[in-house]
Amino acid sequence: MLYHVPNIITPELLYAMRSMGHGDELLITDANFPATSHGQECIRLAGVDSSEALSAILTLLPIDTFVENPFITMEIVDHPKTIPPTVEDFTQIIKQKNPFLSSPKGLERFEFYERAKKAFVIIQTSDIRPYANIIVKKGVINHAN
């Protein structure tokens, strides 16, 4: 047992986040995402939705503030300007945990898949909401954190 680690963070996920370097990306996905075929490592969080996973991960993970946007989501197919409710939810969580950061940037579906293949780790949740996928870029810990 450890202090201050959200109970949905598994030992495997904690190890993966600690193993990441600055600039590495993790991907939180919904239940429908082809996670196993897209990543080098896939950690499953059964009974957890993507929003819960994002909130717990942002409790521990420093975010890269040296890039334009450290959060990437998948755009709705044929409706790239429409913001899905899941992304609105992600935005609220990001602003609550890191008020200085911006809303996630959307990528076209196949561009998102290509980016996902480069993720350090994929965390697949049980979320069945559409477009409940987000890429998070790890930053550094400094004296201000």
Side-chain angles (χ1 to χ4, degrees):
M1 300 298 298
L2 299 170
Y3 289 116
H4 311 294
V5 177
N7 63 358
I8 65 171
I9 301 290
T10 64
E12 296 81 14
L13 179 52
L14 189 61
Y15 178 79
M17 289 191 299
R18 177 60 182 94
S19 298
M20 294 171 69
H22 68 278
D24 282 339
E25 294 179 335
L26 65 77
L27 168 59
I28 301 167
T29 73
D30 58 36
N32 292 305
F33 191 87
T36 303
S37 66
H38 274 73
Q40 299 203 11
E41 181 178 5
C42 180
I43 297 171
R44 289 186 170 71
L45 295 182
V48 174
D49 71 30
S50 294
S51 296
E52 293 169 313
L54 178 64
S55 182
I57 287 166
L58 292 183
T59 301
L60 302 172
L61 194 77
I63 302 304
D64 193 338
T65 57
F66 296 108
V67 295
E68 183 178 332
N69 200 317
F71 301 100
I72 306 294
T73 56
M74 185 187 299
E75 294 175 345
I76 295 177
V77 175
D78 297 328
H79 300 284
K81 301 273 188 233
T82 303
I83 306 297
T86 49
V87 175
E88 290 176 1
D89 198 27
F90 293 157
T91 301
Q92 292 306 314
I93 292 165
I94 291 164
K95 290 181 187 274
Q96 177 187 24
K97 300 282 185 176
N98 298 288
F100 59 92
L101 295 173
S102 62
S103 300
K105 177 186 179 219
L107 276 183
E108 182 272 334
R109 177 183 173 203
F110 293 105
E111 290 177 40
F112 188 89
Y113 285 162
E114 286 305 309
R115 181 98 175 241
K117 289 177 183 176
K118 299 173 186 167
F120 185 90
V121 64
I122 295 179
I123 298 100
Q124 186 163 40
T125 69
S126 298
D127 205 333
I128 57 171
R129 298 176 298 166
Y131 299 98
N133 309 298
I134 186 166
I135 296 169
V136 180
K137 186 177 287 286
K138 185 178 182 181
V140 297
I141 294 176
N142 62 40
H143 68 282
N145 290 120

